[in-house]
Amino acid sequence: MDFLSVWIDTYAAKSLSDPAFAFPAYALAGMAGSLFPCVYPIFPIAAGIVRMRSLPGERRVKHPLLFWLGMVIAYAVLGVLAAAGGGAFNAVMQSGPVVALTGFLFLFLVAVTLDWHPLSFPAADRVYEGARHRTGAVYTIVMGIFAALVASAC
């Protein structure tokens, strides 16, 4: 296990010093990030929904792969931003106000889940209805990016 830790540290240090090496490093990290236990359960649901976006005669695997590509892009960008911040993101995320705000957000979402408080987004519903019938690859990639941003909280 120590070998793996040393290898990851070496790989991360090289990605910070060599920009040409950085993007493939963060893309690989994004691919690995999409396999975390809290993200993995999204795939069967998303694949079923995204598969229906295929046009007649189109391969059924195209849109699930584009969805996954969107997730990889999102995680790679988040990785680059976190690395460029040099640990500032970690410091902010561990500060008391941010932890308290996150805790209150989760409590609020529990109240919404239990139907103690209604939550609706009419504008989001209109956007969803408009995009639901579009079958283009760009829309599928954007869906993957937003799914990754939702799942990245874990």
Side-chain angles (χ1 to χ4, degrees), residues 6-82:
V6 169
W7 183 79
I8 290 172
D9 287 342
T10 305
Y11 200 68
K14 184 169 181 172
S15 72
L16 291 174
S17 63
D18 185 5
F21 187 76
F23 186 77
Y26 295 124
L28 286 173
M31 286 183 233
S34 68
L35 298 176
F36 281 133
C38 53
V39 177
Y40 188 70
I42 290 176
F43 285 147
I45 298 164
I49 294 169
V50 172
R51 238 175 65 179
M52 296 301 144
R53 296 176 59 78
S54 299
L55 295 171
E58 208 173 33
R59 292 187 55 180
R60 296 286 234 186
V61 74
K62 175 185 173 187
H63 285 277
L65 288 175
L66 290 171
F67 182 86
W68 179 68
L69 175 65
M71 292 183 81
V72 169
I73 290 169
Y75 288 134
V77 168
L78 289 173
V80 167
L81 291 175

Side-chain angles (χ1 to χ4, degrees), residues 73-119:
I73 290 169
Y75 288 134
V77 168
L78 289 173
V80 167
L81 291 175
F89 183 73
N90 287 339
V92 169
M93 293 306 292
Q94 293 175 4
S95 68
V98 172
V99 171
L101 185 65
T102 304
F104 284 121
L105 174 65
F106 285 144
L107 286 174
F108 172 72
L109 292 176
V110 165
V112 169
T113 302
L114 295 173
D115 284 333
W116 293 348
H117 189 284
L119 183 66

Side-chain angles (χ1 to χ4, degrees), residues 124-147:
D125 291 340
R126 285 192 300 276
V127 170
Y128 170 75
E129 285 302 320
R132 187 172 73 141
H133 301 291
R134 301 191 188 227
T135 58
V138 173
Y139 289 101
T140 305
I141 292 171
V142 169
M143 286 173 60
I145 290 170
F146 281 108

